[in-house]
Amino acid sequence: MDFKALTAHAKENGFIYQSSEIYDGLAAAYDYGPNGVLLKNNLKEYWWRSMVQLHDNIVGIDAAIFMHPKTWKASGHVDAFNDPLIDNKDSQKRYRADVLVEEYIDKVEGKLNKEIAKAQKRFGEAFDEAEYRRTNANVLRYQGQMDDAAKKLATAMTDGDMEALRQLIEDLDISEPDTGSKNWTEVRQFNLMFSTQLGNIAGEEGKLYLRPETAQGIFVNFTNVRNTTRQKLPFGIAQIGKAFRNEIVARQFIFRMREFEQMEMQFFIAPGTQQEWYERWKETRLKWHLALHPREKLRFHDHDNLAHYADAAVDIQFEFPFGFKELEGIHSRTDFDLTAHQELSGKKLQYFDPEREESYVPYVVETSIGADRLFLATLTHALREEQVPGQDDPKNTRTVLALHPAIAPIKAAIMPLKRNHDELVSLAKSIFNDLRFHFEVQYDDTGSIGKLYRRQDAVGTPFCITVDFDSLEDNTVTVRDRDTLEQVRVRVEDLVGMIGPRVDMGSLLRSAQ
Ligand code: GAP
């Protein structure tokens, strides 16, 4: 399904609304609707339980969004959490200079892929892609252009050389995507943190930041958590919470927002073991994603530019409708953060290692995923327009959200065959009132059964339970499976036993092991 149709579906079915829409909306802020909040909570629960419940050595916290302003000085965010900004003088629009170069590289890659697809068609079975990439002049030229631009971008970003970045945009002949204008300003560094003011202190002294990552709430609580849980290294601290970034280019729906939610885990380890743990967390996190999404939708992508705190970093990218993009980051953060907080606060943030018989500042491997991006990835993969299973006519289609049952917002919908029939309605409502104690269910009698089925398919409900006239005789109901459309007769008292295990988070958690 194309991206426009996906965003329309998300709104029409109560998943995501534009923030403050009645005032024409606020850019890059979104609200989750009734189905959206259920789905998002389920995704967060999947993450939380796999991290905290299934690891003896990972505990959770929930730190405040506001932190002492020195936190952001120590973490480097005040000085280094910048994006390179460039304005187009004709259109008055603002862009991220590095993104303009990345989009140029994507464009060249598109041309390269086209060249390969053409050759594949021409040579058929005999086509040797690796050989073609090595020898074809056009492919080599495109690859050279991409590599050269990527290298120059990485160098300019690492050196913080805004003039070199401006020069690169000029050399690559990059124009404004909407108007074609090349009338660019200089490139300036733009700090991404939002600031606000404490009520009782005036001026710089009272300046507060909205956290741009949840990780720092974990670092500053390292000693508190150690002292209160008696965890020994290696151990992790996990947290889910809001983060805020004044993104210059905020677009692609909930992919890049100014207010979003992160699920982060900092894993504290002995110095020298970071490579091993980095590899282990890469593998663990990929498995976690594979329980939800197919392998071909996911890939690793090593960072070209390392953040100011990292000595190694990789993204798990997902194939969104606009290409492979970062879904999760795994970073080897060394002892950068704890050392910086130790220096600025004057408080020891160390660990006495009984085996090594020495104290040291622990190293950290971080896993960090955006809950909203995971939501978008999940919708992207699950939402399909398909031929109705078991029907021959290709025109007979339906829209279905093929979510894993454990994350589906509603696990089962209960509907009477006729809405004006007191006995059918009464039995359907009594089933609904019993099942709601076990899992999320919905009662619906506001349309024909066919219409109600389609409505539930569109929001991903794995089971529909229909109460019909036979039900009044034998206390059985029809249970329809969303994916196969198979219908089986089930005794009312067996519904929990039948549906419960199939919608339980345990099955999903197990498949990620
Ligand atoms: N603590 C490390 C950190 O914050 P990051 O790569 O900047 O690293 C981690 O962010 C994850 O947070 C990303 O992989 C992405 O899923 C999510 N994220 C970052 N910026 C975002 C934004 N503006 N909107 C939505 N999600 C975002």
Side-chain angles (χ1 to χ4, degrees):
M1 189 172 284
D2 74 35
F3 197 37
K4 223 169 151 195
L6 182 143
T7 54
H9 186 93
K11 180 178 174 195
E12 282 157 19
N13 290 280
F15 285 97
I16 294 167
Y17 312 126
Q18 174 75 62
S19 160
S20 8
E21 197 186 277
I22 59 166
Y23 294 104
D24 296 332
L26 177 70
Y30 290 90
D31 301 337
Y32 284 80
N35 285 319
V37 68
L38 291 171
L39 173 55
K40 192 180 189 196
N41 283 344
N42 291 340
L43 289 169
K44 289 194 285 186
E45 184 187 341
Y46 173 44
W47 184 88
W48 184 267
R49 287 176 61 174
S50 72
M51 280 292 176
V52 180
Q53 186 173 322
L54 293 182
H55 286 95
D56 293 339
N57 61 349
I58 299 182
V59 294
I61 64 162
D62 182 15
I65 287 172
F66 288 139
M67 300 182 68
H68 193 287
K70 280 188 180 171
T71 309
W72 306 110
K73 187 74 194 156
S75 68
H77 284 83
V78 171
D79 298 318
F81 195 54
N82 302 318
D83 273 346
L85 171 156
I86 191 166
D87 290 310
N88 186 279
K89 291 185 205 161
D90 294 329
S91 70
Q92 307 280 318
K93 282 196 183 152
R94 187 160 274 190
Y95 291 88
R96 257 177 68 176
D98 57 332
V99 171
L100 287 177
V101 177
E102 279 166 8
E103 284 172 351
Y104 163 89
I105 296 170
D106 286 348
K107 238 192 232 162
V108 180
E109 190 177 19
K111 287 185 195 164
L112 187 154
N113 288 339
K114 247 192 206 156
E115 200 74 39
I116 291 189
K118 256 189 347 207
Q120 189 139 36
K121 220 168 163 191
R122 205 164 59 238
F123 295 116
E125 293 272 293
F127 182 60
D128 180 345
E129 186 179 325
E131 176 68 11
Y132 196 75
R133 279 181 184 271
R134 258 196 314 275
T135 53
N136 180 270
N138 285 346
V139 170
L140 286 171
R141 182 164 45 81
Y142 289 141
Q143 191 61 54
Q145 287 171 357
M146 284 162 57
D147 293 346
D148 188 50
K151 201 169 145 209
K152 285 185 174 147
L153 174 64
T155 311
M157 293 296 286
T158 310
D159 298 347
D161 187 346
M162 297 300 105
E163 263 174 43
L165 195 48
R166 172 71 176 78
Q167 191 58 48
L168 184 58
I169 286 174
E170 199 167 316
D171 294 347
L172 297 176
D173 209 23
I174 293 174
S175 54
E176 213 256 74
D178 295 337
T179 62
S181 159
K182 292 174 191 161
N183 196 4
W184 296 110
T185 61
E186 294 307 300
V187 179
R188 295 192 309 281
Q189 294 277 26
F190 177 78
N191 194 285
L192 296 184
M193 281 197 294
F194 281 103
S195 63
T196 186
Q197 193 71 28
L198 270 177
N200 58 345
I201 305 173
E204 270 300 299
E205 284 287 290
K207 191 170 176 184
L208 277 190
Y209 295 103
L210 271 71
R211 67 180 177 199
E213 62 170 8
T214 59
Q216 299 304 325
I218 292 178
F219 290 123
V220 300
N221 276 300
F222 170 75
T223 307
N224 279 338
V225 173
R226 265 259 317 132
N227 289 345
T228 47
T229 61
R230 293 167 304 283
Q231 287 283 352
K232 294 196 179 77
L233 253 56
F235 79 94
I237 305 179
Q239 173 169 220
I240 298 178
K242 289 269 182 161
F244 304 83
R245 294 182 190 178
N246 200 357
E247 300 280 1
I248 300 164
V249 186
R251 58 172 181 211
Q252 288 156 332
F253 196 35
I254 56 169
F255 180 80
R256 194 177 301 286
M257 299 193 285
R258 300 203 167 99
E259 173 183 342
F260 58 100
E261 208 161 3
Q262 286 188 317
M263 307 193 282
E264 299 203 294
M265 193 279 299
Q266 313 295 319
F267 201 67
F268 298 93
I269 53 176
T273 63
Q274 66 267 34
Q275 186 61 31
E276 176 199 336
W277 282 109
Y278 178 66
E279 294 303 330
R280 276 170 79 161
W281 277 111
K282 270 174 74 174
E283 194 190 325
T284 306
R285 294 304 301 150
L286 182 65
K287 263 197 200 153
W288 185 89
H289 286 283
L290 288 174
L292 280 182
H293 302 126
R295 183 67 185 88
E296 65 272 17
K297 288 262 162 206
L298 297 157
R299 72 179 188 194
F300 283 120
H301 177 78
D302 286 317
H303 280 208
D304 298 323
N305 316 309
L306 289 177
H308 59 273
Y309 49 73
D311 74 350
V314 67
D315 290 339
I316 295 179
Q317 293 187 331
F318 180 85
E319 191 178 17
F320 290 97
F322 36 85
F324 271 100
K325 298 278 173 211
E326 174 183 354
L327 171 58
E328 168 155 5
I330 298 162
H331 312 123
S332 171
R333 289 183 81 129
T334 66
D335 58 355
F336 175 89
D337 302 87
L338 287 183
T339 302
H341 287 305
Q342 181 171 266
E343 277 167 14
L344 203 61
S345 68
K347 308 277 172 6
K348 254 193 176 178
L349 295 174
Q350 298 197 356
Y351 174 76
F352 178 75
D353 188 327
E355 279 167 32
R356 295 190 186 187
E357 293 189 338
E358 59 170 350
S359 288
Y360 50 75
V361 177
Y363 270 44
V364 169
V365 170
E366 165 187 73
T367 72
S368 174
I369 176 169
D372 313 274
R373 273 195 203 173
L374 176 64
F375 189 103
L376 183 58
T378 305
L379 271 194
T380 302
H381 172 54
L383 189 58
R384 0 202 130 130
E385 190 74 44
E386 63 171 27
Q387 193 175 333
V388 177
Q391 303 267 332
D392 295 331
D393 184 356
K395 280 200 227 106
N396 208 342
T397 60
R398 66 166 180 166
T399 303
V400 63
L401 192 60
L403 296 168
H404 189 292
I407 56 163
I410 295 152
K411 308 306 184 194
I414 298 106
M415 42 197 69
L417 189 61
K418 281 194 179 326
R419 68 172 133 166
N420 295 326
H421 193 286
D422 289 349
E423 280 179 274
L424 291 181
V425 167
S426 159
L427 179 56
K429 284 196 172 160
S430 92
I431 294 171
F432 166 68
N433 280 320
D434 177 42
L435 292 185
R436 73 196 316 182
F437 285 96
H438 300 274
F439 34 77
E440 195 72 43
V441 282
Q442 196 170 70
Y443 173 84
D444 197 359
D445 65 5
T446 57
S448 67
I449 287 292
K451 193 170 164 198
L452 299 184
Y453 281 164
R454 276 197 300 281
R455 188 181 290 165
Q456 295 300 330
D457 285 347
V459 299
T461 307
F463 299 103
C464 284
I465 298 168
T466 309
V467 175
D468 57 22
F469 292 104
D470 285 345
S471 311
L472 301 177
E473 302 297 320
D474 60 8
N475 210 34
T476 64
V477 288
T478 299
V479 178
R480 168 195 183 262
D481 182 293
R482 176 197 68 200
D483 300 328
T484 61
L485 298 193
E486 222 177 312
Q487 302 202 6
V488 286
R489 244 11 237 186
V490 179
R491 295 179 61 76
V492 169
E493 58 269 36
D494 294 338
L495 282 171
V496 172
M498 180 215 166
I499 296 174
R502 295 178 61 187
V503 300
D504 183 53
M505 190 64 79
S507 64
L508 182 59
L509 288 166
R510 238 180 231 112
S511 57
Q513 293 305 298

